[in-house]
Structure formats: C-alpha cells, structure tokens
C-alpha cells in the first residue's frame, strides 16, 4: 500500500453522493479517520483550511477553483479536471 499506510486523517470536501461513498469505502478499507465537509460551507463562509493532512476535493470543477484559493495543504486530490478549456486555464494562471 506504499505511503498510504502513513495517512491518519483525510478531509473530503463535498457533500454529494460521491463524497459519502468515498467516506464509506475509505473507512471500511482502512483505519484512516475521514471528515466530510460541505463545499458550500467552505466557499460561502470563506473558510481557510490549513492542514498537513491530505484533502480530497469532490466537487464540480467550477467549485474546485474557489476551494483551492482557500485551501493550504501540500497533499490535495482533485478527482475532476481543474479546467476544461484554455480560458479557464488562463484564469488559473
């Protein structure tokens, strides 16, 4: 399992069905402590997240950019493309 056995906590940002499934799979298959937080709560309240633990962003691409501006973590998992065209790429850079 490589370095995954060193992970103790995981924050999943998203409140859809996929985030709930991820939580169930990860907690069933490992001893990792999982916390699921609503993307809307983070974006609406502009909650800054500064963690050393991995963060899994399980949201639409348009929401991912907003969240990435608030998240400070060296370990981020994005499950969808960050941008879908050159215009979105230029906005990011």
């Amino acid at each position: 399992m490589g370095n995954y056995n060193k992970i103790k906590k995981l924050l999943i940002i998203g409140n859809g069905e996929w985030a709930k499934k991820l939580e169930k799979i990860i907690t069933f298959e490992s001893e990792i402590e999982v916390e699921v937080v609503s993307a809307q709560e983070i974006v609406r309240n502009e909650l800054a997240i500064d963690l050393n633990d991995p963060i899994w962003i399980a949201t639409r691409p348009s929401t991912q950019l907003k969240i990435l501006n608030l998240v400070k973590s060296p370990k981020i998992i994005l499950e969808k493309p960050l941008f879908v065209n050159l215009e979105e790429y230029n906005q990011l850079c």
Side-chain angles (χ1 to χ4, degrees):
M1 217 178 184
N3 289 334
Y4 295 110
N5 58 3
K6 295 179 183 179
I7 297 172
K8 302 295 180 205
K9 293 182 180 181
L10 174 68
L11 175 65
I12 298 175
I13 299 174
N15 57 346
E17 287 299 314
W18 182 238
K20 294 172 189 171
K21 287 179 183 179
L22 283 173
E23 178 185 24
K24 286 180 184 177
I25 291 168
I26 293 169
T27 55
F28 180 77
E29 295 288 332
S30 69
E31 296 179 10
I32 297 172
E33 180 184 329
V34 177
E35 180 182 357
V36 178
V37 177
S38 164
Q40 289 179 346
E41 179 183 339
I42 291 171
V43 172
R44 186 179 307 126
N45 298 318
E46 294 187 358
L47 300 176
I49 298 174
D50 188 5
L51 296 174
N52 200 27
D53 297 318
I55 298 172
W56 190 313
I57 301 177
T59 66
R60 293 175 288 203
S62 60
T63 308
Q64 287 179 165
L65 289 175
K66 294 173 187 174
I67 292 171
L68 285 173
N69 287 325
L70 299 168
V71 170
K72 307 294 182 232
S73 173
K75 305 166 198 150
I76 297 175
I77 301 166
L78 296 174
E79 62 176 48
K80 294 181 178 75
L82 189 54
F83 51 87
V84 294
N85 57 41
L86 188 56
E87 182 179 327
E88 289 179 0
Y89 170 78
N90 289 331
Q91 289 176 358
L92 179 64
C93 297

